[in-house]
Amino acid sequence: MALGQAILDIVAPCLRPEEQRDAFEMFVTAAKAVLDSYEEKADRMRRRVKPSAN
């Protein structure tokens, strides 16, 4: 949410209030997708570097 707000603060002067609400939702959705993807890749990397005992 904080990342979405930070991005919105940058572009807010270019948008109308109703557009700002929509943009905030899009920024938060995009940020969540990128962070989820990063977490998945980081988890795979940790498992490769330090595999389980199985």
Side-chain angles (χ1 to χ4, degrees), residues 3-23:
L3 179 57
Q5 186 61 50
I7 297 168
L8 180 61
D9 290 343
I10 294 168
V11 299
C14 302
L15 302 172
R16 295 188 307 261
E18 62 274 7
E19 291 175 322
Q20 290 179 13
R21 285 188 294 275
D22 294 340

Side-chain angles (χ1 to χ4, degrees), residues 41-52:
K41 290 176 184 176
D43 184 50
R44 283 196 309 257
M45 188 184 317
R46 275 191 297 274
R47 283 187 272 139
R48 279 191 227 132
V49 170
K50 189 174 181 180
S52 67

Side-chain angles (χ1 to χ4, degrees), residues 24-35:
F24 176 73
E25 291 176 21
M26 288 188 281
F27 297 153
V28 169
T29 300
K32 283 182 183 180
V34 169
L35 291 172

